[in-house]
Amino acid sequence: MPDSSSATGLHTEEHNPALLHHFADPEQQRDAASLGMWVFLGTEIMFFGGLFCAYLVYRRWYFGDFAAASGTISMAYGATNTAVLICSSLTVVLAVWAAQTARRTLLITSLILTMLLGLVFLGIKGIEYREKFTEHHVPGASFRFDQAIPGHPGQYANPRHAQIFFSLYFVMTGLHALHMIIGLGIFLWLLTMAWKGRFTPEWHTPVEMGGLYWHFVDIVWIYLFPLLYLIDRHP
Amino acid sequence: MSAHSSASATSPLKGYFAVWIALLVGTGLTVYAATLDLAPYNAAIALAIATIKATLVALFFMHVWHAGEKLIKVVVIAALFFLVLLLGLTMTDYAARPWS
């Protein structure tokens, strides 16, 4: 009996509202969350990895057709979107830093800016997809492709092989865009939490975890951009 | 080591902006390199720049460099190892097929 009362006394004395009782200290709690998030990102790496693997195999087989197909998507849209995502990654680290240092206005501004940049990215993506639909470059019954292979004048790309490029293009950028949409949902939730003042320098784990997710999606795009948009672009 | 990490924890903003500039410059370089005829090296250069950019994001924006928990680094390296296995072994298979 005296044993248990002294134990509870010790517990309430050192109670930190942000610290769950099964962790020794806030640092351990934060590390556990980061570790879990990184394990999830590891599964995401393998998820996208399978698509990158399929891409590599077909690109090796049908390089000329892939180059011809890649030449029809807009390098300017792709490059702009890369820059937009890089800027959004900056606003994400600013948001995490603002949460760490209790800067509420900067946190809310950074979260809103991140979401706006995410929406700009999706908007440009939408314009790009629309062009592909009007050009009949979407795999399916109405697919048409009559482009010469770069560097081989008069030699036309095999439409069936070009269709494989566009299948990979739509699946990879589509899955990436789906991740962006989920990211926007996460950031909307972070924004409402930040608005209510729920984040403190002691506890802002959701901002850090949402940030890790956003940066991962940025990294995927960093690889998608040169692989899909920049095959054999030189004149 | 601890002095270094605490110093960079107090004001990491300079580093964040430096990484941001480096990522934008890397994007510009990627686009520029794609317009040059470097034969087989076009893809190699594009992927090298992308890998440098991805490493910068992971180390500094995702705080892998200053991760207090060493297990995080183990998870990152393990995930990349399995990605290399997936891509590397698949490509060695296809590259070694005389009929393809």
Side-chain angles (χ1 to χ4, degrees):
Chain A
M1 195 61 186
D3 195 23
S4 72
S5 66
S6 71
T8 50
L10 184 74
H11 192 75
T12 46
E13 192 181 17
E14 296 190 352
H15 186 66
N16 174 348
L19 180 64
L20 295 173
H21 71 275
H22 51 282
F23 291 110
D25 52 58
E27 196 184 352
Q28 188 195 37
Q29 182 176 342
R30 221 171 18 242
D31 285 343
S34 296
L35 185 64
M37 192 64 197
W38 272 104
V39 170
F40 167 68
L41 293 183
T43 70
E44 288 272 275
I45 288 174
M46 297 312 284
F47 185 30
F48 278 98
L51 287 167
F52 278 103
C53 194
Y55 168 89
L56 280 179
V57 170
Y58 281 108
R59 177 183 161 136
R60 242 179 63 82
W61 274 345
Y62 308 138
F63 183 77
D65 312 296
F66 267 44
S70 170
T72 67
I73 50 179
S74 168
M75 188 159 74
Y77 287 155
T80 310
N81 260 351
T82 311
V84 167
L85 270 197
I86 285 170
C87 292
S88 78
S89 265
L90 177 72
T91 58
V92 167
V93 285
L94 290 181
V96 173
W97 182 74
Q100 283 167 348
T101 54
R103 288 174 164 82
R104 186 173 186 269
T105 317
L106 180 67
L107 172 60
I108 288 169
T109 324
S110 304
L111 290 174
I112 291 173
L113 274 177
T114 306
M115 292 176 68
L116 284 179
L117 289 165
L119 287 171
V120 168
F121 178 93
L122 288 173
I124 293 176
K125 193 94 251 147
I127 295 169
E128 206 179 292
Y129 277 6
R130 187 172 173 275
E131 284 184 5
K132 291 292 102 188
F133 272 91
T134 54
E135 289 167 352
H136 292 278
H137 285 169
V138 181
S142 70
F143 183 82
R144 276 205 314 267
F145 194 79
D146 43 6
Q147 296 282 327
I149 292 174
H152 298 80
Q155 195 184 330
Y156 282 83
N158 183 335
R160 294 168 65 91
H161 298 167
Q163 192 164 352
I164 292 176
F165 173 86
F166 283 111
S167 298
L168 286 165
Y169 164 82
F170 278 106
V171 171
M172 293 172 97
T173 59
L175 190 63
H176 179 269
L178 181 66
H179 276 77
M180 295 284 302
I181 293 166
I182 293 168
L184 283 174
I186 292 169
F187 271 68
L188 187 63
W189 173 66
L190 290 179
L191 183 63
T192 54
M193 296 267 281
W195 191 262
K196 293 176 190 161
R198 298 281 294 278
F199 299 127
T200 59
E202 289 75 38
W203 188 79
H204 51 273
T205 310
V207 184
E208 283 188 42
M209 299 309 111
L212 285 179
Y213 175 84
W214 195 275
H215 291 309
F216 170 79
V217 176
D218 184 19
I219 287 178
V220 171
W221 184 261
I222 284 174
Y223 281 98
L224 286 181
F225 170 56
L227 289 178
L228 294 174
Y229 293 73
L230 301 177
I231 307 175
D232 229 12
R233 281 287 186 167
H234 53 81
Chain B
M1 188 64 199
S2 63
H4 174 244
S5 59
S6 68
S8 57
T10 49
S11 181
L13 286 189
K14 234 191 225 175
Y16 290 157
F17 280 99
V19 169
W20 176 61
I21 299 285
L23 291 173
L24 288 178
V25 170
T27 305
L29 269 180
T30 308
V31 173
Y32 173 70
T35 61
L36 305 175
D37 187 1
L38 304 166
Y41 298 110
N42 274 113
I45 287 175
L47 284 178
I49 297 174
T51 302
I52 292 169
K53 285 164 69 184
T55 309
L56 285 175
V57 172
L59 287 183
F60 300 107
F61 282 2
M62 298 170 92
H63 303 116
V64 173
W65 186 270
H66 289 299
E69 179 60 77
K70 283 197 174 59
L71 269 175
I72 289 172
K73 291 172 187 175
V74 173
V75 168
V76 174
I77 292 166
L80 292 179
F81 173 72
F82 279 98
L83 181 67
V84 169
L85 270 191
L86 172 69
L87 300 179
L89 289 185
T90 307
M91 292 323 285
T92 49
D93 180 22
Y94 280 102
R97 286 174 187 226
W99 59 86
S100 74

